[in-house]
Every structure is written in C-alpha cells, then in structure tokens.
Amino acid sequence: MWKIEPPLENRKGTLYIGGANTVELAEKFGTPLYVTDEGRIRENARRLIRAFKPHYSNFKLKYAIKANNNLSILRIIRSEDTGADASCAEEIKLAKMAGFEAHDISYTGNYNSSSELKFATNSNVIINLDDAAILAKLLKFAVPETISFRINPGVGRGKYSGLVFGGGKTKFGISAEDAIEGYSAAKKAGIKRFGIHMMTGSCVMEVDYFSEITEKLVDIAAQVKREVGIKFDFFNIGGGFGISYQPGEEDLDINALGKQVAQTFKDGTKKYSLGEPELMIEPGRYIVGDSAILLARVHHIKHSAKTYVGTDVGMNTLLRPALYKAYHQIFIANRLNEKSKQRVNICGQICENTDMIAEDREMPEIREGDVLAILNAGAYGFAMSSQYNSRPRAAEVLVNRGYAEIIRERESVSDFIIRQRVPARLMK
Ligand code: LLP
C-alpha cells in the first residue's frame, strides 16, 4: 500500500491534500487539475530559512520563479520574507506584480538580448551575468550599481544529465579566469557593489555536495579579490536542493546541509578575510515541488500488448516524464487502500510515443472514471506545460486548511487564438 505523507492524507481510502478531498476537487473543477497546498509551501520556505539562518544570520532565500510562476504562489512565497530570482524580463515583471521589491529581485539570464539587459537595468534589480563579455554590452547604456557573475566552479551535479549545469559540458557560467576579467572590467567602469553566483545543477540529493561547491566558490571569490581588489557583498550558491520523488527515497537532510554550508562559508570567508557578506540561496523545486499534485481522470483503458491507462494528463500537462524519464508517484485518489497487482503504462492523449506519465508501473486495478493523483507536481509542472495537440492548459487550485480556491482558470480554445490575426483575404 502507498505511504501517504503530508500534505497528503488518506481519509477512508480517499486522498486529501491540505484538508481538501481530491475526488471532489476533480469533480468540481475538472481535470487535469493542479492542486497546491499553501501550508506546504510555507513550511518548505520556513524549513529552508531555519536550516541556514541560525548558523549565518546574513542570509537570504530567493525563490527561482521559473519553477512555478503562478502569482498567488509567488505572493505566498514573498510573504515568507524571501526574494526572487528571475530568468527573464517577464519574470522580473511577475516578481514585481507579486510584490517583491526591486532590491530583493535578481535577474539571472543567459545569452541575454540588449533589450532585456536594458529592461533589467531600468528595473533596478540585481543583474547576474553569465559571461564577462556581456558586461561590455551592458556598459554601453548603463553602469549598474551592483553586478554579479555566474561562476562555473568546474563541477556539476543533477538528478538527470539534463539537469547538470556545472562542469565541462554546459552552456552556463564562467571560469575563474574569465571572472577576473569580468570583475576587473566592472571595477574599471565604476561599478561599486559585487556579488558572486553559481547554479551547478538541479535535484541534487547529496548534502556534502553543497558545501564542496560553496568552498569552491569562496576560493574563486578570494582569487578575484586578490587579483582585482574588490569586496563581495553577497554570495549566491544557487538552488538545486533535491526532493524525493521515488517511494522510499530518503529526503535531503536540509538541516545538516544548511549547517554544513554555513560553516564552510564562515570558515572560507574568515580564511580569506572576505568579511561577512550576505549568503543567498536560490531554490525553486524545494519550495514548491511537493506542495502540489496533479489530478487526472482515467478515460479509457486499452488492453493490447501492454495495458495502457489513458488519462487527460499527458506530456502537454506534465512534461518531466517525457523529457527526463522523470519518475512521479501516482495514487488512485478514490481507492487508496487497494493493493498493487498489475503493471500498466499510464499515458495521456497526445500523438507522441513519449506521451507516457509512467511506464511499467505497478498499480492496483485501475478503472475508467478513476481519479489519479500525480505527486510532486508543483515544480516545473504547470511551468513547462504546453498547448500541444491543441489541448488547453490545466486549471490550478489552491487549498488551505480544507478550503479550495481557483488560482488559474482552465484555458479554452479562445486562448489558442487570442493573439492570432487572420489576414482578411483568408477570411473569404
Ligand atoms: N537558479 C537558476 C539560475 C536556475 O537556472 C535554476 C533552475 C534554479 C535557480 C532553481 O533550481 P532548483 O532549486 O529548482 O533545482 N525542468 C527541470 C529543472 C530545471 C532547472 C532549471 N534551472 C525539472 O523539471 O526537473
């Protein structure tokens, strides 16, 4: 039988999230439906802050908006005393709409356009550059007060190869040598405040890895300080804190991680006389990942060479299984107490072979009309969904102590055509 953990509950065989009955939610709001528990987001943010702040008080949590950019969710996260990291102009706008102050927003783009750099400069957010040569482009129209560079510390790690953003095979970050060049140019141009950043991979489950890379970043910062003669106001060690997706997989020990990183950071900054700069982290998944489930309705079951369970959740709704072969646990929300007894392929309704949410998954008997709950859908779930095959994107509901509110309406065909312009000659 399934192990059901908060924010999920098994009440007499029915799945609840945040005190709300998922089967009733599926009926009331339709499927596919993303359901997010507000309480869980708050707990996750608080747990993270508690893991670091007691060990290093000059600490800031910045939420990586790309993981889930729903405005209501951004507002919940903002109210937990956080900042935000934006990957583009649109995310800067969303952060401001959600009430984040400019000084709490950073902009970490890559291969930026000049117009986006201009927008970020005018927005007064902290600009974090992915190449020393981009600084020259930026300096053509402005001298920002603060600049930081994204370093590739030479190592990377991630749950899937596509999620490794540091080391040799990646388009991200710059070497220590290029950083020296970048910071020298910045100093020469009159920039006054400096930060240093890295983001080396996503969904990392090893505690020690984070202190290893923190040490590397501090070493590089010390080298830059020596060569260029600048002082760092902040260090951003990125996000990447993993959550467990597989049944039985152990959670990341975030308290041990925070303590260890803070200690490494204190030791390093002391060793190199770097002062007491702000320590930042920039997670997405850890805050929102397990706060949401995705509800699917089973519409048809085909028994051919294999058993295919066809639902209204496909790669258009949740791309991760198709893109990374990512594993998401799946429960039958309306019959939680049944035992596993068959292997099935659970798929969507899209015209692609990769449209598979789970392959060869051991499940109890599934019937047409059942509601399936796909777990850990809060990060990179809706955010990576599409309208492929002309499927409207899902609705989103927020639950809080049993109370459910719609936070994104389901799309309809009008959403496909709203920006289209058909030339008059084609209308004849
Ligand atoms: N900061 C930067 C600059 C990033 O690029 C990312 C994620 C984060 C922070 C947050 O990383 P997190 O804490 O969520 O690991 N689509 C993939 C994840 C890609 C992550 C991209 N960058 C997935 O579904 O697993």
Side-chain angles (χ1 to χ4, degrees), residues 8-9 14 73 96 108 134-135 161 257 262 283 288 334 347 355 394 407:
L8 306 180
E9 272 172 276
T14 298
I73 291 171
K96 289 199 168 174
T108 307
I134 296 177
L135 181 67
S161 60
L257 191 157
V288 289
N334 48 310
C347 61
D355 183 37
I407 55 169

Side-chain angles (χ1 to χ4, degrees), residues 134-207:
I134 296 177
L135 181 67
K137 293 188 187 169
L138 175 65
L139 290 174
K140 281 195 188 133
F141 51 81
V143 181
E145 193 190 282
T146 310
I147 205 81
S148 92
F149 287 101
R150 176 174 180 168
I151 305 297
N152 179 347
V155 292
R157 201 160 298 176
K159 175 140 182 163
Y160 307 110
S161 60
L163 302 188
V164 178
F165 308 137
K169 293 183 192 151
T170 170
K171 68 167 183 163
F172 301 108
I174 59 173
S175 65
E177 294 74 54
D178 289 347
I180 289 169
E181 205 177 290
Y183 287 107
S184 308
K187 185 184 176 194
K188 215 175 281 165
I191 294 176
K192 299 275 180 305
R193 291 181 76 245
F194 301 94
I196 190 162
H197 171 275
M198 68 181 163
M199 171 65 201
T200 70
S202 191
C203 205
V204 181
M205 298 303 282
E206 295 108 86
V207 169

Side-chain angles (χ1 to χ4, degrees), residues 64 66 150 163 199 202 239-240 282-285 320 324 380 384:
K66 65 190 70 171
R150 176 174 180 168
L163 302 188
M199 171 65 201
S202 191
E282 193 179 271
R285 185 187 321 270
R320 302 188 74 254
Y324 314 112
Y380 310 105
M384 293 205 295

